[in-house]
Amino acid sequence: MSVNLKKPALVQLIGDLIAEELTRLRPAESNEWRRRRWLPTDELVPQSKATGKATDSTDNEIVVDSLEWMAIAGRVVQFFQMEESGIEDYLLRKNTLGDWSEIVQKARDIASNNITVTTSGSTGQPKPCRHSWAQLTDEADYFAKLISTQSTSVHRVIALVPSHHIYGLLFSVLLPDILDVPVIRGFSAFQQFTSGSLQPGDLVIGFPEALTQATKLLSHIPHGVTFTTSSGPCPAETINALYEAGASRVIEIYGSSETAGIGYRFSPEQPFLLLPRWQQESINTLQEKHTQQSYELPDKLNWLSDKSFIVSGRVDSAVVIKGTNVYPSRVMTLIESHPAVSAAAVRQKKPAEGKGLKAFVVLKNHSEKITEADLKHWLSEHLLDIEVPTHITFGDAIPVNEMGKQQDWSI
């Protein structure tokens, strides 16, 4: 299956990469960049030449300093593997996204058309994951055929996920291209999704948090609407509620940034079916059939056959604190066993935050009088001193990113 990125898709991908870098460099402006509609006429403008409309989201000027420009160009070079083309420096000589998309296209014509996505970096520095373009397009083609056999015809894609993550690339860029249907993105997509404006033939590319929110807003879903979800476990009650409201199909995809899709299922009561590209190598590893390359699984899988499995839990790595292995998942489980606690997340502190663990805790009842000191005292009765989080933050919900994955929080 051959799919060539068209200019609108390249502009969208470059725009989402810009949004990612500016969100990283300017966290306070994250909503502005993530919800922006990217156009070929959008222009990177040096601060010295700015017209004074620097942060107006409706303006085509994106005012950046020299370091931000270099960071953005570097991210685009990494994503499209442009270093093999020898023309990547032209990104520093042109300003508009339309110009950049033409440079990227030229680089893909000269050299590699493979892609490097990154992990979310929620538990550390983002990790680059290189993917073969041929394998990605084959996977998108497989899902296009699967959706065609399981649902009514797809007329448009409602994309709630950014295009530059592996799930967004497969389902909101490659899949619509194969199906030859338009894509609605950004704020318009969320408006269509949450206002009850879905239409027969819509394919909603969602994630667990968004679909759970939808079940609270949508009492009826038109016939012929298909949903996909990935990026993390989707609650069974959410998927069942979508079916009860009228969803034609809900396709839950299991995978990772490193592997792309691994398996899929249509119901939380079913096991995941392994995608044809893979074969089980061991209980903890998969092997890509064509390349024979092995990949370590990100979760514990219970294999029911060589083509079906159940995800039984994450493989959580120990962290070393004062020379001792400490398991954040064990601390999280204990915190969640406290009678007053509804949910918790536990992470190792970043170097700038000091040493030890930190916890984010959601209480069952906002009127609970439990304090940080109370919870630390209770934990000290069950854990070693080094296992007790040194900072505990209370909030209404576990922090998640735009993909619904847990993300870090400040202390």
Side-chain angles (χ1 to χ4, degrees):
M1 183 70 195
S2 176
V3 176
N4 294 317
L5 286 173
K6 298 181 177 67
K7 187 170 184 176
L10 285 170
V11 168
Q12 183 66 45
L13 284 164
I14 293 169
D16 283 343
L17 291 168
I18 292 173
E20 180 182 69
E21 280 304 305
L22 290 180
T23 295
R24 182 177 66 83
L25 297 168
R26 308 177 194 175
E29 301 174 9
S30 60
N31 284 335
E32 174 187 349
W33 301 118
R34 287 171 176 168
R35 298 289 179 254
R36 184 181 177 108
R37 181 187 177 197
W38 296 100
L39 301 170
T41 51
D42 285 342
E43 183 178 14
L44 293 173
V45 177
Q47 280 182 330
S48 59
K49 298 181 179 180
T51 62
K53 301 176 181 178
T55 59
D56 185 348
S57 62
T58 63
D59 195 272
N60 287 111
E61 287 189 358
I62 305 160
V63 180
V64 293
D65 62 31
S66 58
L67 293 178
E68 289 172 334
W69 193 311
M70 292 291 288
I72 290 169
R75 185 70 183 91
V76 172
V77 169
Q78 179 194 43
F79 183 87
F80 291 104
Q81 299 185 16
M82 293 176 65
E83 67 278 6
E84 301 174 18
S85 72
I87 65 169
E88 64 272 22
D89 288 352
Y90 282 86
L91 294 178
L92 302 178
R93 304 178 192 178
K94 299 290 184 178
N95 295 67
T96 70
L97 267 62
D99 289 338
W100 278 35
S101 69
E102 293 174 5
I103 296 169
V104 169
Q105 186 59 69
K106 183 67 175 178
R108 291 170 63 79
D109 292 340
I110 294 172
S112 171
N113 59 4
N114 294 331
I115 292 292
T116 297
V117 301
T118 60
T119 59
S120 63
S122 58
T123 57
Q125 289 297 316
K127 172 186 171 185
C129 308
R130 297 171 71 91
H131 287 275
S132 156
W133 186 250
Q135 289 176 346
L136 293 178
T137 54
D138 282 350
E139 181 172 330
D141 185 56
Y142 177 85
F143 276 109
K145 293 172 179 172
L146 179 73
I147 291 169
S148 297
T149 60
Q150 293 290 327
S151 308
T152 56
S153 297
V154 175
H155 296 155
R156 63 176 184 173
V157 167
I158 310 294
L160 306 179
V161 298
S163 63
H164 64 299
H165 292 291
I166 190 67
Y167 173 46
L169 178 64
L170 283 164
F171 285 84
S172 77
V173 177
L174 297 181
L175 185 64
D177 194 275
I178 293 170
L179 295 172
D180 193 22
V181 296
V183 184
I184 298 176
R185 297 183 182 277
F187 187 58
S188 296
F190 276 90
Q191 281 185 308
Q192 293 281 330
F193 181 56
T194 58
S195 65
S197 301
L198 294 176
Q199 303 171 8
D202 280 348
L203 171 62
V204 180
I205 310 303
F207 55 92
E209 286 287 319
L211 297 190
T212 298
Q213 184 67 18
T215 62
K216 301 173 184 176
L217 299 172
L218 304 176
S219 58
H220 171 71
I221 297 170
H223 176 71
V225 175
T226 300
F227 295 82
T228 68
T229 179
S230 188
S231 82
C234 191
E237 52 268 30
T238 293
I239 294 176
N240 291 333
L242 289 171
Y243 276 124
E244 290 172 5
S248 176
R249 275 293 186 193
V250 183
I251 307 175
E252 189 176 6
I253 299 122
Y254 173 73
S256 70
S257 299
E258 292 88 343
T259 60
I262 293 175
Y264 68 90
R265 64 183 179 182
F266 301 124
S267 165
E269 286 73 39
Q270 296 176 340
F272 284 96
L273 300 177
L274 191 66
L275 288 172
R277 171 187 169 192
W278 299 106
Q279 60 188 5
Q280 182 190 7
E281 183 178 63
S282 73
I283 193 168
N284 297 320
T285 59
L286 285 177
Q287 187 179 66
E288 205 279 325
K289 288 181 180 177
H290 179 67
T291 63
Q292 302 291 297
Q293 184 172 353
S294 297
Y295 291 86
E296 187 173 352
L297 289 162
D299 298 292
K300 297 175 183 175
L301 305 188
N302 290 336
W303 290 92
L304 305 181
S305 71
D306 60 352
K307 294 181 180 177
S308 63
F309 60 89
I310 295 172
V311 181
S312 60
R314 288 200 58 80
V315 179
D316 289 314
S317 301
V319 298
V320 179
I321 298 176
K322 297 182 178 178
T324 301
N325 286 339
V326 174
Y327 293 85
S329 60
R330 162 178 140 80
V331 179
M332 180 194 71
T333 300
L334 180 62
I335 294 175
E336 289 184 333
S337 72
H338 189 286
V341 173
S342 170
V346 176
R347 299 190 188 286
Q348 188 176 25
K349 287 181 174 178
K350 297 176 182 175
E353 296 172 329
K355 296 182 179 179
L357 300 177
K358 61 180 181 180
F360 192 99
V361 173
V362 179
L363 298 177
K364 290 180 178 176
N365 188 332
H366 293 302
S367 63
E368 289 282 353
K369 299 298 183 184
I370 186 170
T371 66
E372 180 177 1
D374 293 334
L375 190 53
K376 284 183 177 178
H377 177 73
W378 183 80
L379 290 170
S380 68
E381 295 178 350
H382 302 81
L383 299 171
L384 300 173
D385 287 348
I386 57 172
E387 294 178 298
V388 178
T390 53
H391 281 85
I392 298 177
T393 301
F394 293 90
D396 293 331
I398 300 297
V400 296
N401 62 19
E402 75 274 18
M403 295 286 287
K405 287 187 174 182
Q406 283 190 14
Q407 66 176 11
D408 204 355
W409 62 92
S410 58
I411 60 176

